[in-house]
Amino acid sequence: MEFVSQTLFSLVLLCLSTTAYAYGTGAPDTACNSMKPSHGVDALTTATPYKLQVSGSTYKPGQTITVTINGTEYKGFLLQAREPDTYKIVGTWLSPPNNTKLVACSGSNAVTHANNLLKTGLVYTWMAPQSDAPKKVVFQATVVKVKAEFWMNISSSEFQLDGATSGLKCSACVLFSLLTVSLIRSI
């Protein structure tokens, strides 16, 4: 009788416990917008042991850029390129390395883990949009060290579209040109 009571008690506790989902085969497309894993715990707020290393500082339409997640070994991740002002996911990730895969995210894509094996030093290749390339792009990642230890909002610096100038820079150029023409005419 005691065995039955303990078994029933254990089953009740199991049913009442909080469900935590882990995606050992990669982030689902439902995580694209928030980039938050459904692990049943909050992201760590301590300093992240991960940094995004990106080739170059500007880009051209159709150009490929490589991104590496540097730091300690990790099991899972979600990596995207976004417009910093609108958070729109942009560009296309190409040929993901072993143990990783692509995930469709609202007209673009992202790259995520394909299993929960430890990863380190993998290089991910992103291609900028051929048309309608945004003036700025930032790479963002969520990196999972183990199920209950992950960091969100890991960002690279902003990348400027090669040849794009801000309105302020353009206005200054026009003003300088007008002043120069005005000076030349007065001579």
Side-chain angles (χ1 to χ4, degrees):
M1 182 70 166
E2 187 176 325
F3 174 74
V4 173
S5 299
Q6 289 176 346
T7 304
L8 284 173
F9 181 73
S10 297
L11 285 173
V12 168
L13 282 179
L14 184 63
C15 290
L16 294 175
S17 66
T18 303
T19 303
Y21 299 100
Y23 295 95
T25 58
D29 59 357
T30 56
C32 287
N33 289 332
S34 70
M35 296 188 72
K36 182 176 183 178
S38 297
H39 290 183
V41 295
D42 290 331
L44 294 174
T45 56
T46 58
T48 177
Y50 303 101
K51 299 243 184 273
L52 299 181
Q53 178 184 343
V54 184
S55 65
S57 58
T58 61
Y59 74 96
K60 296 179 182 179
Q63 178 182 359
T64 58
I65 303 287
T66 60
V67 181
T68 305
I69 300 171
N70 287 332
T72 60
E73 293 179 318
Y74 54 96
K75 288 187 172 191
F77 71 99
L78 181 59
L79 178 61
Q80 301 175 342
R82 292 183 175 223
E83 287 185 65
D85 298 330
T86 65
Y87 300 105
K88 179 182 174 189
I89 302 165
V90 295
T92 305
W93 293 91
L94 307 172
S95 305
N98 290 337
N99 302 317
T100 69
K101 66 181 184 178
L102 300 176
V103 60
C105 291
S106 62
S108 196
N109 70 7
V111 64
T112 188
H113 56 287
N115 56 47
N116 60 3
L117 297 176
L118 291 173
K119 295 155 192 65
T120 187
L122 298 177
V123 178
Y124 310 99
T125 304
W126 176 79
M127 185 171 71
Q130 292 282 356
S131 59
D132 296 327
K135 289 184 180 179
K136 295 178 187 174
V137 170
V138 66
F139 294 96
Q140 285 192 301
T142 295
V143 181
V144 179
K145 183 175 182 179
V146 294
K147 180 180 168 184
E149 292 181 34
F150 64 91
W151 291 263
M152 295 179 61
N153 302 316
I154 302 168
S155 297
S156 71
S157 57
E158 289 184 358
F159 281 69
Q160 180 113 2
L161 179 62
D162 196 18
T165 56
S166 71
L168 182 60
K169 287 180 184 177
C170 188
S171 297
C173 292
V174 169
L175 181 59
F176 182 72
S177 297
L178 290 173
L179 286 172
T180 304
V181 169
S182 181
L183 284 173
I184 292 173
R185 285 188 176 175
S186 68
I187 296 179

